[in-house]
Structure formats: structure tokens, C-alpha cells
Amino acid sequence: MSKKATEFQRKAMSRMYRGKEIFKPLNTGWIDKNVACVREWVANIFFYCKDNAVIMIDAGYNYDRLAEKMGWLGIAPQSVQHILITHQDTDHVGAVEADSPGLFQNAALYIGEVENRYLTGEVRRKVIYHLYKLPQVTINNKKVLLQDGEVINIDGIKIECFLVPGHTWGHMVYLVDDRYLFTGDTIWFGADGGYSFISALAEDNELAVRSLTALEEKLRRRDLHPLFITGHTGWTDNMDFAFAHRNELCSPFRRKAHDPNAPYDAYDESDDTEERANSRYLAGVGR
């Protein structure tokens, strides 16, 4: 179902969110010497590169141009042996679904134990205020199941797992080498700071808000100040900006929490080019 789900999302969500000033994905390029991004329509896929190791964070859509854009960055698909999955929505796992081109068929997937219940069919993902049930995702890769608070080491790279439920029941965010926090669909950046992610797509909005508060408290208690790197907007190194509106929902249909600099239709990739991918580092927001 992944190819159908990808095409449905591209068409339906483009119409639904066009002109709402909501999605502002990063274009393909490097954030710094360690973190690269590939843009797939409204979604960001990230690669963490250290020494000779490459870890992929989320696996995007079932998308025809992924290998091409990775080539712009000099990252070979076969170099990816480990993929961290924040959650199982089709715009975050499409490249590893059973009907994908198989670029990463030998890579191990790391996913939260709670989130894995979607993949086993124990629970079904619902969106648009629970009105629409998404098809079950099928993935054949080897999986490593993770727990909240677990710390793992992959090729000398430290990865700490934080369970941040709400958008999905088992959504995980990953702190890499105590420096980079990959937040998936937990935080959405508007022009004036971070909000709880888009309300229409959450399993439980109240839980999502509580989870963001708990995440901020954990980071501040440990005096951690990572780069906050999001799944559909940009990144920031400003914690106050990242959590500025953590108790509020991004509600596009009410015209609340938007960014006037967001593209009219973020599914238009005409500004995502190889030349721009290699021209400079990708700027952050709210710095």
C-alpha cells in the first residue's frame, strides 16, 4: 500500500494544506559537517555522518528521487546500514516499505517498542481527527525495538531515545552524540517558535502537549542544549524558540501558528536543486 499511500498523501495533503503557510521543509543540503538533509516534498530525511559511519533518521516517502538526491550529497544508499525511525507514518518509512525500490533492504531499523504495534497490526493509525484510518505498513527489514530512556551505541555514535507520544502512540525522538535532537513530528516551527505538531494528524493532542513539556524538562534538567531538527520545518539551536509555544497546537485550519515565509505549496520542489544543495549550509530559524 505504500506507493498508493504516498501518492494519496502527495495529492490530498497538497490540496488540503496549500496556502495555509504550514509546511516549510529544508531543501536538500548540509546543516553542518555531520548532518545532511534530503527533501522529499514536505518531509525531511536526515543523515548523520561521523568518521566512516552513516545513520539515516527516518525513511521518507516511497519516493522516486531519493537515490538521486543522496547522490547530490555524496551519500551512497549502500552505506546506510542503520535507520532510526521516529514513527511509522508513510512519509517517514516509505523507503523501507515492502513495495519500495529496496535501497535500504539490508539496513536495520530502530523503532520504539510501542510504535512497533502499528507495524504488527495491534493498533491502527488514525488521522484527520480520527476520521481516516491509514493502511497498515509492511516492512521486512530487521528491527531493533527501543525503550524510552534507552541509550545505544552504533559505530561509535551515542544515541539516546526519548518517548514523546501524542502524534502517534509510540513516537520516539533521538538525541545523537548529546548534540543533535531529531524531533520527527513532535515540534512544528512557526515564525514565532515551536508548537505541538499539526493537530489534525495527532492520535492525542493533549498527550502531545504534555509530552513536549516533559521533553523540555528533561533537557533543561540535564543542561542539554541540542540542535532541534524537525521532520517538516527547519532546525534551531535556540531552546527557548523551540519550546516557545509547547502548550499550544499548530491548527492550520484556524490560521493559528503559521509562517508567512512558508511556500504556498510545499509539494513544489522546483527550488530544491543539486546546485543549491552544494552551495552552503542550510540556515536555521530563531537563532
Side-chain angles (χ1 to χ4, degrees):
M1 291 297 292
S2 173
K3 289 185 182 296
K4 293 181 180 178
T6 286
E7 188 60 19
F8 171 81
Q9 188 174 125
R10 183 184 69 82
K11 292 180 178 179
M13 291 187 68
S14 175
R15 289 194 297 267
M16 186 183 306
Y17 291 104
R18 187 178 295 136
K20 298 294 191 298
E21 299 174 347
I22 289 297
F23 291 112
K24 192 178 180 182
L26 291 165
N27 280 330
T28 301
W30 292 86
I31 290 176
D32 64 12
K33 66 179 183 178
N34 293 116
V35 180
C37 175
V38 165
R39 176 182 173 183
E40 293 187 350
W41 297 319
V42 300
N44 299 322
I45 294 178
F46 296 103
F47 300 88
Y48 184 73
C49 305
K50 180 180 178 183
D51 299 327
N52 294 319
V54 178
I55 295 177
M56 186 174 178
I57 299 93
D58 283 334
Y61 289 100
N62 200 322
Y63 176 85
D64 293 335
R65 300 184 63 195
L66 178 52
E68 173 195 347
K69 290 188 177 183
M70 288 178 67
W72 297 354
L73 303 171
I75 300 173
Q78 61 267 28
S79 71
V80 177
Q81 297 298 312
H82 306 278
I83 304 176
L84 306 178
I85 300 295
T86 61
H87 64 296
Q88 63 85 65
D89 285 350
T90 193
D91 53 337
H92 293 259
V93 299
V96 291
E97 289 202 46
D99 66 341
S100 73
L103 292 174
F104 313 106
Q105 59 185 343
N106 297 320
L109 261 60
Y110 298 75
I111 189 168
E113 185 173 27
V114 176
E115 191 71 9
N116 188 56
R117 296 175 65 214
Y118 289 110
L119 302 182
T120 62
E122 296 173 68
V123 293
R124 289 288 297 277
R125 177 76 165 107
K126 297 177 182 178
V127 295
I128 317 300
Y129 302 106
H130 284 203
L131 296 175
Y132 182 75
K133 187 181 291 186
L134 297 180
Q136 184 178 345
V137 171
T138 301
I139 295 174
N140 297 323
N141 293 59
K142 172 188 173 182
K143 289 185 291 183
V144 178
L145 302 186
L146 304 170
Q147 303 286 338
D148 181 32
E150 187 172 353
V151 179
I152 61 175
N153 187 291
I154 299 175
D155 294 335
I157 298 169
K158 178 186 175 184
I159 299 161
E160 187 169 358
C161 311
F162 295 90
L163 182 65
V164 187
H167 180 71
T168 63
W169 296 122
H171 194 297
M172 197 75 78
V173 307
Y174 299 101
L175 180 65
V176 178
D177 281 340
D178 293 326
R179 173 60 176 157
Y180 305 91
L181 189 71
F182 295 93
T183 67
D185 289 3
T186 58
I187 301 177
W188 177 89
F189 288 156
D192 57 349
Y195 291 75
S196 182
F197 197 76
I198 299 173
S199 57
L201 304 179
E203 295 279 14
D204 187 326
N205 280 301
E206 292 183 2
L207 177 60
V209 168
R210 293 198 303 272
S211 294
L212 268 190
T213 298
L215 177 64
E216 181 186 17
E217 290 173 350
K218 289 177 183 177
L219 296 174
R220 290 191 185 277
R221 187 164 56 244
R222 292 170 53 184
D223 198 28
L224 293 169
H225 298 277
L227 272 63
F228 295 82
I229 305 173
T230 70
H232 295 277
T233 50
W235 67 274
T236 187
D237 55 7
N238 184 331
M239 185 179 293
D240 291 335
F241 179 88
F243 290 107
H245 305 280
R246 68 180 184 280
N247 295 320
E248 302 177 58
L249 303 173
C250 173
S251 303
F253 303 111
R254 299 175 184 173
R255 297 295 294 172
K256 183 177 181 180
H258 60 99
D259 186 340
N261 294 316
Y264 180 78
D265 183 359
Y267 286 84
D268 175 4
E269 294 187 324
S270 58
D271 63 340
D272 192 31
T273 65
E274 183 174 7
E275 181 180 14
R276 295 186 67 178
N278 291 287
S279 63
R280 54 183 170 78
Y281 285 138
L282 299 169
V285 294
R287 301 178 69 184

